Amino acid sequence: MMLTHDPTEEKIMTGNILICTLTALLLASCGRGDLEIRSYDVAKAVAKPRMADPMTQAVAQNSDVVPPTAEATSDVRWDTPSGWKPGAASGMRVASFATAGNGDASIVVLTGEAGGLVANVNRWRGQIGLAAETQDAIAAEAKPGKGSHGDFKWFRLLGGDQAILAAIIAKPGKSIFVKLTGSRAVLDTNQEKFLTLCRSIRVAAQP
């Protein structure tokens, strides 16, 4: 039997082979694309630091401030002791004074109890290197005072190089703090004038 050559069949087979080849190449290309992993560096957003409010900053720096909220102080009055030089009010201070011997005196007014007796006395103790004390020990150290505004408590705290005179005057809705910092000699020289300042403090009548 003689075999005849069919050109049409050959074209069909060649076309099928070409289609299969292209399909295989396409699948291989897709497979490589699926396996390719790309990494990208994404810059992280840098959060801006939150600035502490002035009250918080002052407490962190062991200043004359204990939160809570500051009190408007236009109704607080006092008599400056003779020989003391008034300074500009700053921060939470409503009054500052330079005393004989380079002592630093101040008046601060805050709303409410402003942390309470124990917290404030122990804060002052820490400022001159003294350890904290219990409520009973602090109560025993408190000295009584009486002024135009009524009764108050004051403390004489003696550290190594520094010492503090401090008074707490409690009024309805507010606390008034009077403080003198200096050497022991400064406290001895100015103690009576410090107490005179404390006695003179009063709250003006509201209009």
Side-chain angles (χ1 to χ4, degrees), residues 74-77 174 201-207:
S74 60
D75 60 345
V76 177
R77 303 288 185 269
K174 70 184 67 182
I201 291 177
R202 65 267 184 199
V203 177
Q206 295 295 326

Side-chain angles (χ1 to χ4, degrees), residues 88-165:
S90 61
M92 302 307 298
R93 294 184 176 201
V94 300
S96 294
F97 309 92
T99 74
N102 295 321
D104 175 38
S106 62
I107 300 175
V108 171
V109 182
L110 300 176
T111 57
E113 295 184 356
L117 176 67
V118 174
N120 282 288
V121 172
N122 279 330
R123 177 172 52 84
W124 294 327
R125 291 178 63 84
Q127 290 174 1
I128 56 175
L130 298 177
E133 287 193 333
T134 65
Q135 181 175 352
D136 290 342
I138 290 173
E141 291 179 359
K143 298 174 174 57
K146 189 173 183 64
S148 58
H149 50 75
D151 297 337
F152 64 94
K153 295 178 181 179
W154 65 282
F155 298 82
R156 181 180 171 94
L157 308 174
L158 304 177
D161 297 327
Q162 293 286 297
I164 289 176
L165 288 174

Side-chain angles (χ1 to χ4, degrees), residues 180-197:
L180 168 60
T181 303
S183 65
R184 295 192 185 197
V186 167
L187 264 63
D188 291 338
T189 301
N190 293 280
Q191 179 169 303
E192 189 52 43
K193 291 184 177 182
F194 171 83
L195 293 174
T196 298
L197 174 62

